Amino acid sequence: MKLDFQDIRKDFPILSRTVHGKPLVYLDSAATSQKPRAVIKALVRYYETLNANVHRSVHRLGEEATEAYEEARRKIAAFVRAESPTNIIFTRNATEAINLVAYSWGRSNVGPGDEILLTGMEHHSNLVPWQQVAREKGATLRFIGVKEDGTLALEELDSLITRRTKIVACVHVSNVLGTINPVAQIAKAAHAVGAIVLIDGAQSVPHMPVDVAELGCDFLAFSGHKMLGPTGIGALYARTELQERMEPFMFGGEMVSQVWSDHATWNELPMKFEAGTPSIGDAIALGAAVDYLQALGMENVRRHEKDLTRYALDTLSTLEGMTLYGPKDVEIRGGAVAFNFAGIHPHDLATLLDQQGIAIRAGNHCVQPLMRQLEVSATARASFYIYNTREEIDVLADALGIAARYFSGVIRTTG
Ligand code: PMP
């Protein structure tokens, strides 16, 4: 099936707005995606017709809200091909999902002398929580290096994964380089030494078919807001045996079974990890986002983004003064394209593009160690999703040409 982009664009109300009098060209979906009307409607419908707390009311609204919330869990489980809905723990976002693993699994399974293996392209959300675990437990962080071409130095894997490795936490798709990492291969090597594997799927789950069994991961973290869903909801896929052995992350209502004055027992899986009132409406709306993506077909989503990425790399590379980061081969990369251009600071570039209605991201993208390796303080980044078109990439390229001319005087005088 070929996606009909004009039809898709009509589903996203925000895409018809203007910015500084120009049609909005939204190229920042790696930061957060826009939301189709179906998701916005699901959110409104929840508050207009279903709003009640879940798992604790016997009244009709409470039952309906619980059923809708659990239905969303079922949809999300099916989306990542989990064995059971109970493998899905709702969190606020990918960051909280990773923290859940770091606090709950990390703090009881990592000890002095153990090693935590990451990569040199981790988002801070899959780095800083492990720095904390390592510091508290006397463990060591190790890193799979990033090569010049933006891929991981897998030849280091054999020497990096040892009996001391307790967990390998690895980003599936880089939010800067776009690299799709061979996580199944890494997971196999990790499991061979008895380590467990967490995959940061924040940039993969929204953009390509993801199957937890194929990846062979123990944990998969992702955010709803990057996959057409609302903010405030994310998920952690966690294998049942691990959930059973893990202590809760947070304590309070909902996550308990029996409570006495001096102790308590825990609720069944996965509620043991969902303390307090969850983001009910957001979870239900994320279920609607999953329906929307499933109807498009994730193979089609991936094909469309591959086409856009190829077109963007071809178009942008013709511009003089363009430095593009990450692999050139679209088979091994997703649709986040980071670049530096014509000596213009990425923030200046983003400001100038904004004047043309174009939204890109500029900064370190929460990956400061990688920025140091690239020897830049920041990059610009255009990132694509189902609603973007080749024409928008042309608009970006034209606007970059204008920016280069605008700044050329400044660059000449500052050398
Ligand atoms: N990992 C990656 C690769 C990301 O791109 C992001 C978001 N930029 C995150 C983790 C964190 O996602 P969130 O802020 O939604 O928790």
Side-chain angles (χ1 to χ4, degrees):
M1 185 191 98
K2 210 150 169 39
L3 299 187
D4 183 335
F5 310 114
Q6 291 317 318
D7 264 10
I8 286 176
R9 288 180 68 81
K10 275 191 237 137
D11 291 340
F12 291 78
I14 206 167
L15 296 181
S16 57
R17 70 159 283 181
T18 56
V19 170
H20 302 301
K22 303 272 169 49
L24 168 65
V25 174
Y26 187 75
L27 301 178
D28 198 17
S29 292
T32 198
S33 71
Q34 297 302 346
K35 322 301 174 197
R37 202 169 275 108
V39 167
I40 300 165
K41 271 192 178 159
L43 208 50
V44 172
R45 198 181 316 117
Y46 168 72
Y47 286 111
E48 285 185 349
T49 68
L50 286 184
N51 181 45
N53 216 325
V54 289
H55 300 143
R56 57 190 77 173
S57 323
V58 291
H59 58 70
R60 182 63 180 265
L61 287 189
E63 280 175 5
E64 288 183 9
T66 303
E67 175 46 31
Y69 179 70
E70 291 304 327
E71 175 65 15
R73 197 194 304 276
R74 286 194 286 276
K75 287 176 185 174
I76 293 156
F79 192 60
V80 296
R81 306 267 193 275
E83 311 87 271
S84 155
T86 59
N87 292 121
I88 298 297
I89 300 165
F90 281 122
T91 61
R92 272 190 309 136
N93 46 38
T95 304
E96 188 176 281
I98 295 166
N99 272 276
L100 193 161
V101 180
Y103 272 90
S104 173
W105 185 90
R107 278 169 176 77
S108 34
N109 288 282
V110 176
D114 286 343
E115 292 181 358
I116 297 167
L117 182 60
L118 310 171
T119 79
M121 58 171 90
E122 295 311 315
H123 189 279
H124 297 162
S125 65
N126 195 32
L127 168 60
V128 182
W130 299 114
Q131 291 174 346
Q132 298 308 108
V133 173
R135 202 162 50 90
E136 277 175 35
K137 297 292 172 183
T140 307
L141 296 183
R142 302 194 74 186
F143 296 89
I144 307 172
V146 179
K147 296 195 284 197
E148 193 102 319
D149 65 0
T151 62
L152 289 176
L154 291 176
E155 56 277 15
E156 297 170 359
L157 209 54
D158 281 350
S159 60
L160 285 170
I161 297 188
T162 70
R163 293 266 155 215
R164 285 192 295 276
T165 313
K166 279 285 169 305
I167 181 165
V168 180
C170 172
V171 68
H172 193 179
V173 175
S174 163
N175 61 315
V176 175
L177 303 169
T179 320
I180 303 172
N181 290 318
V183 288
Q185 183 188 344
I186 296 170
K188 218 165 152 209
H191 287 148
V193 297
I196 64 146
V197 177
L198 175 143
I199 302 300
D200 172 358
Q203 300 291 348
S204 61
V205 174
H207 299 284
M208 61 184 65
V210 169
D211 177 331
V212 287
E214 266 176 27
L215 298 184
C217 60
D218 300 290
F219 297 108
L220 174 74
F222 50 103
S223 287
H225 70 96
K226 293 183 198 281
M227 51 187 284
L228 311 181
T231 50
I233 189 77
L236 176 71
Y237 159 85
R239 271 203 310 117
T240 307
E241 304 89 282
L242 287 163
Q243 281 194 45
E244 280 166 353
R245 281 189 283 160
M246 277 157 62
E247 283 298 303
F249 168 40
M250 285 193 283
F251 300 86
E254 178 83 357
M255 51 72 63
V256 281
S257 170
Q258 302 291 318
V259 181
W260 290 266
S261 305
D262 59 351
H263 72 284
T265 59
W266 312 141
N267 202 343
E268 56 200 44
L269 305 179
M271 263 84 79
K272 171 174 137 184
F273 299 101
E274 294 181 5
T277 301
S279 299
I280 305 162
D282 297 329
I284 292 168
L286 177 56
V290 164
D291 285 343
Y292 188 94
L293 287 169
Q294 294 276 41
L296 292 178
M298 290 309 289
E299 294 286 356
N300 294 318
V301 169
R302 170 72 183 133
R303 192 174 315 124
H304 175 57
E305 289 183 24
K306 232 167 32 180
D307 176 68
L308 286 180
T309 308
R310 187 181 293 115
Y311 188 74
L313 294 175
D314 288 349
T315 308
L316 298 181
S317 61
T318 62
L319 300 176
E320 209 185 313
M322 175 61 71
T323 304
L324 290 162
Y325 302 100
K328 305 273 173 286
D329 178 3
V330 295
E331 295 303 324
I332 56 160
R333 67 167 297 153
V337 177
F339 59 93
N340 268 302
F341 180 56
I344 308 170
H345 192 282
H347 284 134
D348 293 335
L349 202 54
T351 306
L352 216 77
L353 293 182
D354 179 59
Q355 296 301 313
Q356 305 294 317
I358 304 167
I360 62 157
R361 171 93 184 258
N364 61 49
H365 314 289
C366 300
V367 192
Q368 288 181 26
L370 180 65
M371 292 292 123
R372 285 190 200 99
Q373 179 178 337
L374 298 175
E375 296 180 339
V376 293
S377 60
T379 78
R381 181 188 69 189
S383 55
F384 314 121
Y385 210 3
I386 48 173
Y387 36 71
N388 291 121
T389 63
R390 285 181 171 213
E391 290 71 32
E392 290 182 306
I393 293 167
D394 292 336
V395 173
L396 170 68
D398 290 347
L400 287 171
I402 295 168
R405 284 195 291 282
Y406 179 84
F407 274 98
S408 61
V410 181
I411 293 161
R412 261 199 304 275
T413 52
T414 57

